[in-house]
Amino acid sequence: MAQNQDFLVKMKNISKSFGAVKALKNVDFHVKRNEIVGLLGDNGAGKSTLIKILCGVLQPDEGEIFFDGERLDIKSPREARNKGIETVHQDLSLVDTMQIDRNMFLGKEPTKKIGPFRFLDKKRMRQESSRVVGDVGIKVRDPDEFVAILSGGERQAISIGRSVYFDAKLLILDEPLRALSVKEQKNVLQHVKDVRDGGTSVIFISHNVYHAHEVTDRYVILNNGFKQGEILKGDCPPETVSEYVATGEEVDEVLDCSIEL
Ligand SMILES: Nc1ncnc2c1ncn2[C@@H]1O[C@H](COP(=O)(O)OP(=O)(O)O)[C@@H](O)[C@H]1O
Ligand SMILES: [Mg+2]
């Protein structure tokens, strides 16, 4: 079936249970091209589960996924990454104690051929990662530096740098501002806007509307595994969005606050 090309992601009727816990119940979710979607909901609402399905970490019990015009069964994170989906997870954003340049190329290491053998092209990895990480505002003292000693903001920047470098179609950030300083939060928000302006769609997950408000075009709210509704940002004040998240009150249709009622 031909898919509407306005949509980069379409997830239809997604359900997922963990034993007796129904984490997602018949959720429909989409992302348009060049759009930043704020995925909101309280802790336990199902946000991380939904995006883990999209990036191949989990398989849905039910439902279909369309990405960039084709129906996909995303069986592994590697497959998702090869399709252009870069994810920064809430819990394991980068592999600790790995050098910046190894992290930058994780799973996509450049190789060079010498005689019949292929080797990791370490020199290229080092040069490229210094450049990319520098582009997103980190001064790299030495790319051999272990990521474990970098701050949360610096790690986010490396991941965002990856998505730019590999020209991702979709960047997924799960609670990216948690545990960041105010200055680092500002940097990450700026990078998110830059990535979108470069043509990449973004899913920005947060349980805090105020974190997502500055960058989001449209909100999708999850509540207890159900989709509670969608709100177009327009001039919608964060207080209104926050109220919906807090009360769980159903948003009937897409709520567009720029339309005067
Ligand atoms: N691997 C898992 N095993 C069992 N239960 C899980 C697992 N992952 C998530 N859950 C449960 O699914 C529900 C949704 O979790 P999650 O998607 O992490 O929510 P959120 O990211 O919105 O905080 C919660 O009740 C959580 O405890
Ligand atoms: Mg989560």
Side-chain angles (χ1 to χ4, degrees):
M1 192 177 61
Q3 287 293 305
N4 183 332
Q5 286 299 312
D6 289 347
F7 293 98
L8 179 66
V9 178
K10 227 175 206 189
M11 299 176 81
K12 285 188 180 170
N13 205 28
I14 303 287
S15 296
K16 177 76 185 174
S17 296
F18 299 102
V21 177
K22 291 193 167 169
L24 295 171
K25 300 162 204 165
N26 307 104
V27 171
D28 289 331
F29 176 77
H30 69 267
V31 181
K32 291 185 184 169
R33 293 182 192 276
N34 258 295
E35 184 183 42
I36 302 178
V37 174
L39 182 58
L40 301 177
D42 219 337
N43 285 328
K47 306 181 295 295
S48 294
T49 304
L50 186 68
I51 63 96
K52 280 178 182 166
I53 290 171
L54 184 54
C55 66
V57 173
L58 293 172
Q59 303 300 309
D61 298 336
E62 265 183 75
E64 287 184 303
I65 303 173
F66 297 88
F67 183 76
D68 204 14
E70 57 174 338
R71 187 181 184 284
L72 290 185
D73 284 316
I74 306 171
K75 294 218 160 44
S76 68
R78 184 178 288 261
E79 217 175 298
R81 183 170 285 168
N82 286 338
K83 290 285 177 191
I85 301 173
E86 276 293 333
T87 310
V88 181
H89 288 287
Q90 183 174 2
D91 26 22
L92 50 140
S93 86
L94 287 167
V95 182
D96 278 354
T97 65
M98 200 188 254
Q99 289 102 330
I100 291 174
D101 56 352
R102 285 307 297 274
N103 248 311
M104 182 68 208
F105 287 96
L106 202 59
K108 285 193 175 179
E109 288 87 351
T111 54
K112 62 181 173 196
K113 218 168 167 210
I114 302 177
F117 302 108
R118 284 216 155 267
F119 295 93
L120 280 183
D121 190 344
K122 290 200 174 132
K123 186 166 165 229
R124 207 181 123 210
M125 276 169 60
R126 186 155 307 186
Q127 287 169 343
E128 296 279 275
S129 58
S130 295
R131 185 178 64 73
V132 171
V133 171
D135 280 353
V136 289
I138 297 179
K139 283 191 202 69
V140 181
R141 287 145 287 197
D142 174 0
D144 273 339
E145 200 161 359
F146 280 25
V147 168
I149 61 169
L150 298 175
S151 74
E154 290 169 326
R155 291 179 193 214
Q156 298 280 355
I158 292 174
S159 300
I160 292 168
R162 280 181 54 96
S163 73
V164 175
Y165 185 79
F166 293 115
D167 207 12
K169 292 177 183 151
L170 176 69
L171 172 65
I172 302 173
L173 300 166
D174 195 352
E175 305 269 1
L177 302 189
R178 243 179 28 141
L180 295 193
S181 71
V182 173
K183 184 160 169 264
E184 289 176 327
Q185 292 187 357
K186 277 193 131 159
N187 275 337
V188 169
L189 288 170
Q190 188 56 50
H191 294 326
V192 167
K193 286 191 241 181
D194 292 346
V195 165
R196 191 263 316 270
D197 292 346
T200 300
S201 300
V202 182
I203 301 174
F204 189 104
I205 299 173
S206 183
H207 65 276
N208 183 333
V209 183
Y210 295 89
H211 279 171
H213 194 71
E214 193 183 322
V215 294
T216 297
D217 298 313
R218 179 169 53 90
Y219 293 107
V220 174
I221 307 174
L222 292 182
N223 183 355
N224 255 320
F226 285 107
K227 184 160 103 180
Q228 188 182 331
E230 292 185 26
I231 298 177
L232 285 180
K233 185 164 126 186
D235 299 320
C236 208
E239 293 76 16
T240 308
V241 182
S242 183
E243 189 74 10
Y244 274 104
V245 177
T247 60
E249 188 189 328
E250 201 174 325
V251 189
D252 286 338
E253 295 168 40
V254 179
L255 184 68
D256 184 351
C257 297
S258 61
I259 298 172
E260 293 221 8
L261 297 174

